[in-house]
Amino acid sequence: MSLDGLVVHSLVQELQACVGGRINKVHMPSGHDIVLQLRAQGSNKKLLISANPTYPRVHFTDQNFLNPMEAPMFCMLLRKHCESGIIESVTQPGMERVIHMQIRQRDELGDVSSKTLIIEIMGRHSNIILLDTTAGTIIDGIHHVTPAISSYRIVMPGSRYTAPPEQHKALPFGLTKESFVTLLTSPLPEPEEAAESLLEGRAPKSAGNQEETWEQRIVNRISGFSPLVAKELVYRTQPPLTAAHTNEANAAHLWEPFQELVTRLQQGRIEPHICDRESNGKSYFSIIELTHIQGQVTRYPTVSECLEAFYGDKAERDTVKQRVSDLLRFLQNERNKNVKKLEKLQETMDEAQDADKFRILGELLTASMHQIQKGAAAIEVINYYDEDQRMVTIALDPLLTPSENAQRYFKKYTKSKNSLIAVHQQLEQTHEEIAYLDSLLQQLGTASLGDVEEIREELIEQGYIRDRSKKARKKKANQKPLLSCFTSSEGIPIYVGKNNTQNEYLTNRLAQSADTWLHTKDIPGSHVVIRSPQYGEATLHEAAQLAAFYSQAKESSQVPVDFTLIKHVRKPSGAKPGFVIYDHQKTLFVTPDSEALKRMPVSVK
């Protein structure tokens, strides 16, 4: 579900921790997202502000983001007007899905200026707008809205700011039972989709005389309520709402759960949680208990932690999916080409296996040369190599002499024998190529944004793809890739390489000879290293779980994982990146447990 006004209300209460804080840094990791690094209440905080059309949100975050080499224009603008600024207030107009962040900054001349960062969380219309508070004009927005897109409101530098269209709904706070009943039983004053129609510059549809459900009555008349929360209120109502009661009686019954919810909200007694529905596998988040949904509930101490758990992986996976779509297509095409090449090589190999047959036919022709008639297309001779001395028919080229026909078979024999050596080499190379491409496809399946860029650079270095950037890449000498470091239940660090750049650095440079190295047996996957010469069974089992999870067999059970000391692992000369050979290994069989692995402490080093 999307953030409704109730969630935003609770979120704004949580964001009061930013008031009085200083904005130290502004980053823009993607075209939709802003990250503010704050110093507030004696601690450092990171605030994620996203205008992603699918996952718009605002919350504190612990996530690490990969920033582009060159900051986008909107990011540079925010740095100019907001860095070193003090957040004076964080407010929500009414119960709208809009947050106003007032920022006071002293410029290089010493003058104090006031700016307002407006965050509009409205699905595909979401936006982040920087406003000159005094003039009321837009400095810029992360997404521009031109007159061609919407005639109602324009989001362009220099234009006056117009708030999203009014939805003409009542605020939930301050309603009495009488006004609540009157509100729910009165006709709808304006079509439900009027606001969205105005945003898109089209006329709203007529509301018509369609009978509303009680969920729709709540959503259409009271600000901040989403269909999910409205459904929960109706579900909690006792006695249940029925057509046997009058509308006024049903509305009166709804008052009690409504008043309870509003009171809890005003007192800050919220219950941020995610409910994973068992029937359809969908996930829902809410700040109130969802008793009408049966499923597994995970509770969180703050709204930010709940939102990060719900949106974090989804948003990153979507961004990664967009970034890797071209690489996935390329690698899959390359793999398909090599599979076809393998089939043709196998056919050549099968033909070459008959090399001795050509030699025998040549020798039989040489022994029977006096029997060959000029211009004959075939000859039948005794096969002296056959125990039963059976006759064999040998095809001839009528245009060649008997001697040339015999030589033709000897040449076929020599060619087939020589091709066997070349085909063996090509078969080996093609198998290695397919294994390499499989490993890259597996790595892209679990890659973060930073991992994707390292994989892309590897493909450029290996000559698979061209560097499309106009500027030459400056690679720092001895640059160290960042690695995921998990901590086992015994407190021992376990490092995981998520791509070949990380695998090579981890195995060949970081790990010591007495460390333990793990990898799935004959399955593409990550290199995993236990950075300690001494550890218990629990650490070994957890490291094997990580090796199985970050492999092509992550959805399988009883995955074989080899482990051996680093001193027994080596990279052959000229091998592909990430490819190693090893010996003295033992094998464990584990079934990956994603939930247990998520609970393991992890840092990036």
Side-chain angles (χ1 to χ4, degrees):
M1 63 168 285
S2 60
L3 273 78
D4 60 17
L6 303 183
V7 175
V8 173
H9 175 83
S10 299
L11 193 56
V12 167
Q13 303 309 309
E14 192 176 305
L15 294 181
Q16 296 309 307
C18 299
V19 176
R22 181 183 297 275
I23 300 173
N24 290 331
K25 289 286 182 183
V26 179
H27 296 293
M28 191 171 171
S30 74
H32 304 298
D33 302 334
I34 299 293
V35 176
L36 303 181
Q37 291 192 3
L38 312 171
R39 180 71 181 176
Q41 297 184 350
S43 63
N44 296 322
K45 301 177 186 293
K46 273 193 292 189
L47 183 66
L48 171 66
I49 305 171
S50 177
N52 186 306
T54 311
Y55 306 113
R57 63 205 188 278
V58 180
H59 57 79
F60 292 118
T61 180
D62 293 323
Q63 193 176 347
N64 292 311
F65 297 90
L66 179 73
N67 297 306
M69 295 293 289
E70 290 186 11
M73 286 298 295
F74 187 65
C75 180
M76 297 295 287
L77 191 84
L78 289 179
R79 287 177 179 176
K80 177 183 175 183
H81 292 283
C82 298
E83 274 192 0
S84 300
I86 303 297
I87 298 173
E88 293 193 308
S89 66
V90 180
T91 57
Q92 175 191 23
M95 288 294 286
E96 299 296 328
R97 292 174 295 167
V98 178
I99 297 174
H100 287 194
M101 188 178 287
Q102 202 74 27
I103 300 167
R104 172 174 49 84
Q105 187 209 43
R106 190 179 295 274
D107 62 22
E108 56 268 16
L109 297 176
D111 298 328
V112 175
S113 62
S114 181
K115 304 293 187 297
T116 305
L117 192 64
I118 302 176
I119 305 144
E120 300 175 343
I121 306 168
M122 303 183 300
R124 64 180 183 275
H125 302 297
S126 298
N127 215 333
I128 303 169
I129 301 166
L130 185 65
L131 191 69
D132 186 319
T133 310
T134 309
T137 55
I138 295 170
I139 299 173
D140 206 352
I142 199 168
H143 299 149
H144 289 172
V145 180
T146 64
I149 298 171
S150 172
S151 57
Y152 179 81
R153 67 194 296 256
I154 298 165
V155 180
M156 294 291 288
S159 60
R160 288 199 66 80
Y161 175 73
T162 304
E166 284 287 333
Q167 294 186 314
H168 305 286
K169 296 180 182 181
L171 292 176
F173 308 121
L175 285 175
T176 63
K177 184 174 182 179
E178 291 73 22
S179 60
F180 177 78
V181 171
T182 303
L183 185 66
L184 289 194
T185 54
S186 301
L188 190 64
E190 184 144 336
E192 180 185 353
E193 60 167 30
E196 185 151 327
S197 302
L198 286 169
L199 281 172
E200 295 180 350
R202 56 184 172 85
K205 294 178 183 177
S206 171
N209 297 316
Q210 186 177 355
E211 185 65 31
E212 294 176 285
T213 64
W214 283 103
E215 289 91 341
Q216 290 169 334
R217 286 173 185 267
I218 296 169
V219 171
N220 294 342
R221 290 167 176 77
I222 304 177
S223 182
F225 278 72
S226 64
L228 186 71
V229 175
K231 192 170 184 179
E232 177 63 24
L233 286 184
V234 172
Y235 182 81
R236 290 184 182 187
T237 304
Q238 292 298 329
L241 307 181
T242 65
H245 300 139
T246 63
N247 284 346
E248 287 74 13
N250 280 329
H253 293 149
L254 261 172
W255 167 252
E256 188 176 332
F258 171 80
Q259 187 187 34
E260 183 190 352
L261 168 61
V262 171
T263 303
R264 291 181 70 92
L265 203 64
Q266 287 177 311
Q267 295 174 350
R269 292 187 294 123
I270 57 172
E271 301 172 286
H273 68 282
I274 296 172
C275 182
D276 296 310
R277 195 172 212 158
E278 295 167 352
S279 57
N280 58 10
K282 287 186 178 179
S283 296
Y284 304 85
F285 75 85
S286 179
I287 56 167
I288 67 165
E289 192 74 32
L290 298 175
T291 57
H292 72 280
I293 296 177
Q294 299 299 315
Q296 184 179 351
V297 175
T298 309
R299 302 184 187 279
Y300 299 89
T302 64
V303 181
S304 285
E305 288 177 63
C306 181
L307 293 179
E308 178 151 50
F310 186 84
Y311 283 117
D313 289 345
K314 292 182 175 68
E316 185 177 3
R317 289 314 309 158
D318 270 21
T319 308
V320 168
K321 201 177 288 184
Q322 292 168 5
R323 297 268 182 99
V324 305
S325 57
D326 60 328
L327 291 182
L328 283 172
R329 271 196 310 273
F330 170 77
L331 292 173
Q332 199 58 58
N333 287 339
E334 286 296 304
R335 190 186 187 283
N336 292 339
K337 285 179 192 173
N338 278 279
V339 168
K340 287 180 181 176
K341 181 181 177 182
L342 206 60
E343 291 171 359
K344 289 182 179 177
L345 286 171
Q346 196 57 54
E347 288 174 10
T348 308
M349 176 75 82
D350 294 340
E351 289 175 5
Q353 297 293 350
D354 294 333
D356 275 343
K357 183 181 78 173
F358 296 129
R359 177 183 59 79
I360 290 169
L361 293 177
E363 290 179 358
L364 291 176
L365 277 180
T366 302
S368 309
M369 207 168 291
H370 59 283
Q371 298 177 16
I372 300 173
Q373 300 287 330
K374 188 178 180 181
I379 185 173
E380 192 174 34
V381 298
I382 298 170
N383 186 358
Y384 300 110
Y385 293 92
D386 185 13
E387 291 180 3
D388 299 328
Q389 302 283 295
R390 285 175 292 197
M391 302 295 288
V392 61
T393 302
I394 303 173
L396 302 173
D397 186 340
L399 300 177
L400 299 179
T401 65
S403 175
E404 287 171 339
N405 268 300
Q407 288 304 313
R408 184 166 69 97
Y409 279 105
F410 287 129
K411 284 177 183 176
K412 277 188 178 183
Y413 162 69
T414 304
K415 183 180 177 182
S416 294
K417 198 170 80 168
N418 292 338
S419 71
L420 268 176
I421 301 167
V423 170
H424 269 300
Q425 291 175 343
Q426 288 188 46
L427 273 172
E428 193 175 329
Q429 290 170 0
T430 308
H431 278 297
E432 287 176 5
E433 187 78 6
I434 290 172
Y436 176 62
L437 295 171
D438 280 342
S439 72
L440 289 175
L441 286 167
Q442 176 270 321
Q443 290 162 13
L444 285 175
T446 57
S448 65
L449 289 172
D451 300 333
V452 171
E453 292 310 309
E454 288 176 346
I455 292 170
R456 193 182 294 276
E457 285 176 12
E458 178 187 329
L459 287 169
I460 291 169
E461 288 172 6
Q462 294 294 312
Y464 284 90
I465 58 176
R466 285 183 295 178
D467 189 354
R468 290 180 296 183
S469 63
K470 293 178 183 177
K471 294 185 178 180
R473 290 174 182 259
K474 293 179 182 178
K475 201 161 187 182
K476 295 176 184 176
N478 299 320
Q479 188 176 20
K480 298 177 182 178
L482 295 174
L483 297 170
S484 296
C485 177
F486 293 81
T487 304
S488 76
S489 56
E490 298 175 327
I492 293 171
I494 303 172
Y495 284 80
V496 178
K498 304 254 188 92
N499 57 51
N500 289 327
T501 302
Q502 295 176 17
N503 287 337
E504 294 235 321
Y505 173 74
L506 173 59
T507 302
N508 301 330
R509 292 173 59 188
L510 180 67
Q512 302 295 317
S513 60
D515 293 342
T516 299
W517 181 88
L518 302 93
H519 194 283
T520 43
K521 182 179 177 66
D522 301 325
I523 300 170
S526 295
H527 292 200
V528 176
V529 171
I530 302 172
R531 287 297 318 276
S532 175
Q534 295 180 336
Y535 53 84
E537 284 295 322
T539 297
L540 181 61
H541 182 76
E542 287 160 4
Q545 284 262 339
L546 287 167
F549 182 78
Y550 290 103
S551 78
Q552 210 172 61
K554 65 180 293 185
E555 303 294 338
S556 305
S557 59
Q558 294 299 301
V559 180
V561 176
D562 285 343
F563 65 97
T564 187
L565 294 178
I566 278 288
K567 65 182 180 182
H568 300 309
V569 182
R570 57 202 175 278
K571 181 179 179 179
S573 177
K576 293 277 187 188
F579 181 79
V580 293
I581 54 176
Y582 56 92
D583 48 40
H584 294 80
Q585 73 273 18
K586 294 179 182 177
T587 306
L588 277 176
F589 291 87
V590 294
T591 300
D593 183 351
S594 58
E595 291 304 315
L597 295 177
K598 283 178 184 176
R599 291 193 293 270
M600 286 182 70
V602 60
S603 59
V604 177
K605 294 184 178 180

